[in-house]
Amino acid sequence: MATVADFRNDIRPNWCPGCGHYGVQAAITDAVVALGITPDNLAVISGIGCSSRIGGYFYAYGAHTTHGRALPYAQGVKLANEDLNVVVCGGDGDAYAIGMGHTIHAFKRNVNITYVVMDNHVYGLTKGQTSPRSDVGFVTKTSPHGSFESPLPICETAIASGATFVAQGYMTNRAELVELIKQGMQHEGFSFINVFSPCVTYNKRNGYDYFKENLTSLSKVEGYDVHDRAQALKVLGEYDGLVTGLIYQNTEKPSFEKAMAAANGGPHPRALIHEVAKPSQELFDQLCEEFK
């Protein structure tokens, strides 16, 4: 049985003191330990940004990929080894700007991985520019008169794009966040969890006090049904997206892996390769000659 200590390595995180990402890392660790996952059965894939450094702070398999490209890499990892638990991490800049094309297609494709996005409404690594999630009026070096673009309604976008598990957490509410990550990793298909993770250095507007005053737990919304797509969109609109909890779950849509197997009329192609075309030295030598 793995413990929290088993997932620690010798690399000390260099996030700013008070950064919300510390809480996200702790929540992911607690979740995988609670699920009985061991370091040799976990891959943490990340992109570029303050949040994406997280993969280097886990003792597990991982890859620190290019900006905005963590999802295609992670989907390849999962399809190559379906037994591996794959968690993808990024920030709102990495996920919703340069990586948004991949994010949209991951929502609809439904590969069985979990995507945890640390949303601080700002670009932290490059020293404080507006992100796709920044509020109107947010003053930064690139918006000295205040941002005039509307923030991207990401949870609504995920639901509209066909995502089958959409949740939102706040890193200070660790118990709820751990539970959301556990549920996401147990969900059959693509799990998307947007996490409010304040940047104490470059975003004084959306800090701890702001989220404490403005977030509403869906547990307080009477009669809320996580399987009701229309209700999920309606509630998100009413609360301007500032809710926490499991927002929407579709358990009827098959995962990409199951859909691909059905389309191929049998098991996963990787399994067929092992059964039908068993590797041999003769085959290896033949391929070497062919591709010389």
Side-chain angles (χ1 to χ4, degrees):
M1 186 77 174
T3 66
V4 169
D6 293 325
F7 289 92
R8 293 181 182 144
N9 58 26
D10 296 330
I11 302 174
R12 183 177 179 179
N14 63 348
W15 293 315
C16 299
C19 175
H21 300 346
Y22 288 101
V24 179
Q25 181 184 359
I28 294 173
T29 306
D30 286 351
V32 296
V33 168
L35 291 172
I37 296 169
T38 54
D40 62 346
N41 199 26
L42 175 68
V44 181
I45 312 297
S46 62
I48 295 295
C50 289
S51 54
S52 292
R53 289 171 168 164
I54 194 171
Y57 307 148
F58 274 98
Y59 182 74
Y61 292 117
H64 197 176
T65 70
T66 48
H67 199 192
R69 310 294 184 247
L71 280 173
Y73 193 105
Q75 290 168 96
V77 169
K78 182 63 176 181
L79 294 177
N81 185 354
E82 290 184 23
D83 296 329
L84 197 62
N85 293 282
V86 178
V87 175
V88 194
C89 295
D92 47 307
D94 185 65
Y96 310 145
I98 189 172
M100 191 59 190
H102 295 302
T103 302
I104 289 285
H105 286 282
F107 287 153
K108 77 174 184 64
R109 188 172 290 126
N110 207 30
V111 174
N112 192 17
I113 60 178
T114 300
Y115 194 23
V116 178
V117 179
M118 285 157 264
D119 182 2
N120 55 20
H121 294 26
V122 71
Y123 277 92
L125 186 68
T126 51
K127 307 300 184 282
Q129 298 84 8
T130 55
S131 86
R133 293 280 289 160
S134 297
D135 291 342
V136 173
F138 183 43
V139 176
T140 71
K141 296 174 183 177
T142 53
S143 57
H145 302 295
S147 175
F148 53 84
E149 295 186 34
S150 299
L152 177 71
I154 190 58
C155 292
E156 294 94 324
T157 301
I159 294 170
S161 301
T164 57
F165 184 100
V166 179
Q168 195 157 247
Y170 180 31
M171 48 71 57
T172 64
N173 190 345
R174 186 153 156 186
E176 180 186 59
L177 182 55
V178 170
E179 187 59 31
L180 290 174
I181 295 170
K182 285 169 56 182
Q183 290 179 40
M185 295 187 72
Q186 292 173 310
H187 174 74
E188 182 69 30
F190 186 79
S191 306
F192 169 63
I193 306 169
N194 191 67
V195 184
F196 296 116
S197 180
C199 174
V200 295
T201 302
Y202 296 109
N203 189 350
K204 309 296 185 182
R205 181 187 182 108
N206 307 111
Y208 289 95
D209 290 340
Y210 169 84
F211 288 115
K212 182 179 179 180
E213 294 170 5
N214 290 281
L215 289 178
T216 298
S217 172
L218 288 173
S219 63
K220 298 179 180 179
V221 178
E222 187 176 351
Y224 191 78
D225 180 1
V226 299
H227 303 294
D228 188 332
R229 187 172 182 268
Q231 186 185 26
L233 291 169
K234 180 175 181 290
V235 169
L236 283 168
E238 290 174 351
Y239 289 92
D240 199 24
L242 293 169
V243 298
T244 63
L246 178 54
I247 300 170
Y248 176 69
Q249 185 173 23
N250 179 349
T251 56
E252 297 181 0
K253 179 180 176 179
S255 66
F256 179 85
E257 293 91 326
K258 286 188 174 180
M260 180 170 62
N264 287 320
H268 189 288
R270 180 167 59 87
L272 292 175
I273 289 171
H274 287 294
E275 281 298 315
V276 179
K278 295 184 184 295
S280 66
Q281 186 63 44
E282 182 182 354
L283 176 61
F284 179 75
D285 293 340
Q286 179 184 335
L287 290 172
C288 287
E289 285 297 321
E290 183 177 345
F291 289 98
K292 273 184 178 178

